[in-house]
Amino acid sequence: MILLSDPRTRRRRLGVAAAAAGLLAALLTAGPAVATPDPGDGPAKSKEVSKSARAEARTAIEGGEIPGVDQVVHSRNIEHLANIPKDALPGTNSDLAFQGRYAFAGNYDGFRIFDISNPKKPKTVAQVLCPGSQNDISVSGDLLFLSTDSSRSDSSCNSTTQPATEKSSWEGMKVFDISDKRNPRYVAAVETACGSHTHTLVPERKNVYIYVSSYSPNAAYPDCQPPHDGISVIKVPRKAPERAAVVGFPVLFPGEGPDGGGNPGGPTNPGVSKTTGCHDITVLPSKDLAAGACMGDGILFSIKDPERPKVIDRVQDNVNFAFWHSATFNQEANKVVFTDELGGGGAATCNAEIGPNRGADGIYDIVGRGDHRELVFRSYFKIPRHQADTENCVAHNGSLIPVQGRDIMVQAWYQGGVSVWEFTDSKRPKEIAYFERGPLSTQTISTGGSWSAYYYNGYIYSNDIAKGFDVLKLSDRRTDPAERVHLRELNTQTQPDYFD
């Protein structure tokens, strides 16, 4: 069923060189993991690896254990329809959003709009230069929202980098009018504490609420002071987006001390990130629920009152999770998949030495009712194909594939590629399809691969950090029913009720 040999038996050797060179020990004993790779406004820098790791990568390619440099491989049930290389925006490609026949692709230098009415031949409609990592992106009606998480000289798209120690520096949310897709218009900016690493929309008829996730406060940063134990909530009136403003900062981790009551991280919990905010939040508006991936904690909370979210349950995994990165509900809202971004997205963690439980997904059942619901751990899932030690690889952004009665999602794994996997049985997850490229290099670890991979109206779209925008077609009896589901808009962190 797959183009290469059975992934259960191949690539067992990869990763041994890393352990021999001491790289594994360095990874596991390092300080708190950082979040997604943050090279500022330029391309990520390559990092040297050991001679033994370079030799092992070359040997694995020659032996057919991994694909060659830039070689595309995939399971037989996936077809690679198109790739659109990066153009006027050379920075790191980031997240995706969708509306009608358009895809919106974030980039550390701005964003790009594609016409995907013919998925085999996507066309660039607009490219907007507006630097500010990481430019996490979403859309609602005629509005587009962009996160800025690098300290800038001002809120304009002509700003330059400036130290966060300066009070005049700016970070936060930008709002664009996209009623004319060919000419997006910048209409508002809202500064938020510690910037905006990611954001999540909670749309209403008259307003759009934005949950802003940010973290890592510092006493030396005037606009990012500890404790930073919650999220910023922005209210954007649809008919007057220029009046967008912060309406609250709900505390999610109340507690004593300079960092609030979140996970203390090391040395109490070695190798685990200290919780000083959230990395990403996914909301399920139809169920008034949200799941937060908050560095050292995973949380479940109610959003019945969108300005005052209420935490229902909180979990930690101080054995295998280093950095709680993102979350995905299943359709029935009785499961949540949390991702662990071990190594910050810039390390080689998909090898034999790291193993199947670290840098993986954690699958949790939601049990109970109302405010008494709890998150109960069931299993881990990690792609079964080991990667070279020159490939950054770890669990990253994904979305549900809407198949009624089954829990299936597609997910990005950086240079581990794109994986389609099923967790209908939350104790026994399994991969059913994949797409990946060979390493960018056999000499250095260069940040690349799929940042986000989402299913939208019959196709899978992936934003590759280095290689550009990919379109994939999945043909499998288990997922074919999803082709009957069509949405007018998709922001993956605002999960729709596909069968309402």
Side-chain angles (χ1 to χ4, degrees), residues 80-413:
H80 187 202
L81 297 182
N83 171 261
I84 308 299
K86 292 196 289 188
D87 189 8
L89 304 176
T92 296
N93 277 340
S94 56
D95 210 6
L96 294 168
F98 304 89
Q99 187 182 81
R101 60 188 177 97
Y102 298 102
F104 304 82
N107 179 286
Y108 276 46
D109 287 328
F111 64 92
R112 193 172 181 178
I113 302 176
F114 295 99
D115 182 336
I116 54 172
S117 53
N118 181 355
K120 294 182 179 181
K121 295 182 179 180
K123 297 178 181 179
T124 298
V125 174
Q127 297 190 73
V128 176
L129 179 64
C130 196
S133 66
Q134 58 186 13
N135 280 338
D136 192 46
I137 194 167
S138 59
V139 294
S140 183
D142 287 336
L143 300 178
L144 179 147
F145 305 91
L146 209 61
S147 286
T148 298
D149 194 31
S150 63
S151 186
R152 313 295 301 179
S153 57
D154 56 60
S155 63
S156 75
C157 287
N158 298 316
S159 65
T160 58
T161 57
Q162 181 169 290
T165 52
E166 296 188 23
K167 177 60 179 173
S168 63
S169 295
W170 184 92
E171 298 179 70
M173 289 298 309
K174 295 170 180 169
V175 184
F176 291 79
D177 183 318
I178 54 168
S179 52
D180 181 353
K181 301 295 189 294
R182 296 186 178 276
N183 296 286
R185 184 169 56 90
Y186 188 12
V187 295
V190 181
E191 187 171 16
T192 54
C194 301
S196 175
H197 195 72
T198 67
H199 68 270
T200 303
L201 304 187
V202 186
E204 292 187 333
R205 186 172 59 87
K206 294 182 179 180
N207 306 295
V208 179
Y209 286 96
I210 308 174
Y211 289 169
V212 176
S213 296
S214 55
Y215 52 90
S216 295
N218 190 305
Y221 300 163
D223 299 318
C224 185
Q225 293 283 299
H228 185 73
D229 47 11
I231 57 174
S232 297
V233 179
I234 296 174
K235 183 178 180 180
V236 185
R238 289 188 185 275
K239 293 185 178 180
E242 68 279 0
R243 291 167 44 200
V246 174
V247 294
F249 187 86
V251 173
L252 303 178
F253 301 96
E256 301 296 328
D259 298 313
N263 195 320
T268 303
N269 297 316
V272 178
S273 291
K274 178 170 63 175
T275 298
T276 60
C278 289
H279 179 276
D280 210 349
I281 290 169
T282 292
V283 298
L284 193 56
S286 64
K287 300 289 194 297
D288 289 329
L289 271 182
C294 302
M295 305 181 74
D297 294 88
I299 58 174
L300 183 71
F301 56 102
S302 167
I303 58 169
K304 286 182 180 180
D305 182 344
E307 293 189 22
R308 298 171 184 83
K310 176 184 177 182
V311 175
I312 296 172
D313 195 27
R314 168 184 165 196
V315 290
Q316 297 178 354
D317 180 347
N318 295 319
V319 176
N320 287 313
F321 261 48
F323 190 97
W324 295 68
H325 174 274
S326 54
T328 302
F329 287 100
N330 71 333
Q331 177 61 31
E332 298 300 318
N334 57 15
K335 298 172 190 171
V336 180
V337 175
F338 288 103
T339 67
D340 172 28
E341 196 182 39
L342 175 67
T349 68
C350 296
N351 54 34
E353 293 304 319
I354 297 297
N357 296 337
R358 306 203 75 218
D361 295 318
I363 305 165
Y364 286 75
D365 284 353
I366 301 174
V367 300
R369 293 184 177 182
D371 290 350
H372 299 289
R373 282 171 285 192
E374 297 180 346
L375 294 164
V376 180
F377 174 77
R378 294 304 187 202
S379 65
Y380 297 106
F381 171 77
K382 194 171 184 179
I383 56 173
R385 299 171 311 286
H386 290 160
Q387 308 296 306
D389 289 327
T390 58
E391 294 180 277
N392 62 304
C393 175
V394 76
H396 215 239
N397 295 347
S399 76
L400 284 187
I401 297 179
V403 179
Q404 202 156 18
R406 306 185 83 141
D407 298 326
I408 301 175
M409 68 179 290
V410 58
Q411 187 175 1
W413 289 78

Side-chain angles (χ1 to χ4, degrees), residues 458-476:
Y459 297 87
I460 293 170
Y461 298 91
S462 167
N463 211 19
D464 188 289
I465 291 170
K467 296 298 180 182
F469 183 71
D470 288 305
V471 185
L472 309 175
K473 179 63 177 177
L474 174 65
S475 299
D476 189 286

